[in-house]
Structure formats: C-alpha cells, structure tokens
Amino acid sequence: MNDLKQAEQSFLKALSLNPDDFESGYQLGYLYALQKNFKQAEVHLNRIWQTRQDHPKVEAARALIELIKKGDTDKLPAQVDHHSYHLNRSQALYQSGEYGLSLFEIQTAARLK
C-alpha cells in the first residue's frame, strides 16, 4: 500500500504464479505509468487489453493506454486510498462472477473505513 518498490515485487511475483492475473498486470502497468516507464506499462496493459474479455480491468487497461498515448499520466493519482481500492476491487470481482473473493474485499473495505 503506497510502497511502489514492494508493490512491483509483489505484482511480478503474482504474475509469475499466474500470468493471466488481470489485477496484477493492470497494477504493474499503472505503477510503471506513474514511474514514466511507458514501454513497460504498455507491455502489461496491452497483454490485458488484447484479451478483449468481459472484465473490468480490460476496459481500465484500454483507458490507461490512451492516457499514456496522450501524455496525460500526470493526472494519475500516485497515492491509494485503501478503503476505495478494496471497494473497487470487490466490485470488479463481483462483476466478473468471483463472488467469494468479492465478499472478502468488501469486508476488508468495511474494516478499513
């Protein structure tokens, strides 16, 4: 949470265990966009976008790719509100049919609030 170096290591480890993990791929793309490492950001984001699956992170990846192309990454928030992160993650998991994980995330969001 807001430790970019540790976050990068964690997301890379998650992707090594599951290369199809949209959440970790998106978060790495976002992290690299914050660091102005656009080439690496686009590698991770394009991998998600090119699946064209019905998943909230696919559209989010497309939107972030557009921000990078427009040069508007300075508008990206660099700090994460922990409650909002878990709330949004819960919604994304629910929309993708992962109801059990969604419940854990909403409970975490409630505890953080």
Side-chain angles (χ1 to χ4, degrees), residues 3 23 32 34 37 67-68 91 98 108:
D3 179 356
E23 184 68 32
Y32 290 137
L34 285 176
N37 185 348
L67 271 179
I68 290 169
Q91 291 169 342
E98 297 184 49
T108 302

Side-chain angles (χ1 to χ4, degrees), residues 3-99:
D3 179 356
L4 297 182
K5 186 164 181 67
Q6 178 62 42
E8 179 182 18
Q9 292 172 355
S10 297
F11 291 129
L12 285 170
K13 171 114 179 165
L15 282 175
S16 74
L17 297 171
N18 179 5
D20 297 326
D21 180 19
F22 285 169
E23 184 68 32
S24 296
Y26 176 80
Q27 293 301 332
L28 263 175
Y30 191 98
L31 182 145
Y32 290 137
L34 285 176
Q35 296 175 340
K36 309 288 188 219
N37 185 348
F38 302 124
K39 186 174 182 176
Q40 278 295 98
E42 288 183 347
V43 166
H44 291 286
L45 296 169
N46 280 325
R47 188 174 298 141
I48 296 167
W49 170 239
Q50 290 171 355
T51 68
R52 303 291 200 270
Q53 291 185 19
D54 183 24
H55 189 282
K57 287 299 178 196
V58 173
E59 179 56 28
R62 185 205 59 77
L64 188 48
I65 290 167
E66 289 300 315
L67 271 179
I68 290 169
K69 287 180 180 178
K70 290 179 184 176
D72 286 342
T73 56
D74 291 335
K75 297 177 182 179
L76 294 172
Q79 296 290 314
V80 174
D81 172 45
H82 302 231
H83 168 262
S84 297
Y85 169 80
H86 288 284
L87 181 62
N88 290 336
R89 182 154 161 71
S90 174
Q91 291 169 342
L93 287 166
Y94 185 84
Q95 289 173 350
S96 64
E98 297 184 49
Y99 305 116

